[in-house]
Amino acid sequence: MEIDKAIGESDDKRLKTKYNNAIFVIRRALSLYSIEEVAFSFNGGKDSTVLLHLLRAGYFLHKKELTCSNGGISNFPVRTIYFESPSAFTEINSFTYDAAQTYDLQLDIIRQDFKSGLEALLKANPIRAIFLGVRIGDPTAVGQEQFSPSSPGWPPFMRVNPILDWSYSLCLCRDVWAFLLTCKVKYCSLYDQGYTSIGSIHDTVPNALLSVNDTTSSSKQKLFKPAYLLSDGRLERAGRVKKNASIKNDRDSDSQKNEVLLASVIAVGDEILSGTVEDQLGLSLCKKLASVGWSVHQTSVIRNDIDSVSEEVDRQRSICDMVFIYGGVGPLHSDVTLAGVAKAFGVRLAPDEEFEEYLRHLISEQCTGDRNEMAQLPEGITELLHHEKLSVPLIKCRNVIVLAATNTEELDKEWECLTELTKLGGSASLMELYTSRRLITSLTDVEVAEPLTKLGLEFPDIYLGCYRKSRQAPIIINLKGKDNARIDSAVQTLCKRFKEGVFVDMK
């Protein structure tokens, strides 16, 4: 069989290991289920194409073992499912139908949504297991193993994931393109046009990192290098037009305009609690959040303990729009923050190859395998926020931002990058600056207490805060809101209740 022969003749030891592991999973599935009980979900993408040829090789080896024959296979009897969509690229459709003809696939074309089509298919056929081209890092990969039952609410079947641990980049000795090029099999032509990760026509463009600056061409059409020349496998999905990072929960956009967004700040560190280290990051972070209009609901300091981190994160993430957590990030025994975040969301820590490649640039090969605890991130909920000024991306787990800063200078850089990234995400309400005025008065607490209470009732959209720098110092009244005119009106209302000159604006 040409696939098995090509891999056998390859000098790529990593590829051979990945191939053998995938073939083992396929042969195991074919031993557990009859050929009528398995199916293959094919979508024409690169991962799916890899799986197609792995299945062909796996079926060949399975039949060879059963029949003790060295002959080839004349057909490929595994039922192949293709969910045809009006938003699919024509090149994807063409490649899929050509592959079906070339390899004699039993192609079932389904024109319903995935769940409905799957329910109808399983109802009409005795399918018990479906081969999927899922890889770790895909949104659908969370919690999956090589054999994973379907999720609750879905029709029952076994998900078989032979390439779950495969990755993208060829130049980094990775797997997907190494397999496709080593085996010299056809793949969708879009990958030769600069597309590196293909979704629908609405959310996919060529990867700008593969753009060619051709000054000799008179054509205005941009040229791109093929996908396998992408030099950094971490940026495989840079061609997907996705929603940029939003750092608040999904809510109705109209209601957000009048809401005060709540944030919580969590510091992790026994040294802070023991007084060995003075926490400057919390103070700085609160100031930064206030400067962009967030209300800090709570700050807390937690022990270096997974359960303590998990309980606090779980509590705050359900109350606040965003939780910022710092400290306890690294490979030391006391660095438990990511494990605590993972436990709070009920997921496991899993190796993240994209993040590991960033770390490899910093600490070379010390970050490989079991020696790299930092390369393990909460599985399926982690989004890496990339910025050219950061040596490693920020870590976002749903509405939890994990900061790696250890001092205020590092925090300043991370915050600058975070605010730029969220601007790109279109979170206008996040970046809409609150305006404020501060008044100073020598009145006593008793004299201002009732008037301020009434003012708060008259202007519920204005935040009123009072503080002193010392017990003998004058009262400072802080008025903050999104509407300058409303703040001015509140100040005028307050001043009218007292003699002129009682309140003085602080510059």
Side-chain angles (χ1 to χ4, degrees), residues 44-46 49 91-92 95 177 186-192 198:
K46 62 185 182 302
T49 302
E91 292 88 344
I92 285 286
F95 172 74
W177 282 109
K186 288 185 178 180
Y187 49 83
C188 179
S189 61
L190 289 174
Y191 293 110
D192 286 333
I198 300 174

Side-chain angles (χ1 to χ4, degrees), residues 61-82:
L61 294 171
H62 174 70
K63 290 293 291 182
K64 178 181 175 181
E65 182 181 36
L66 292 180
T67 61
C68 299
S69 170
N70 291 320
I73 55 174
S74 58
N75 64 351
F76 180 69
V78 177
R79 182 185 297 274
T80 304
I81 312 163
Y82 178 54

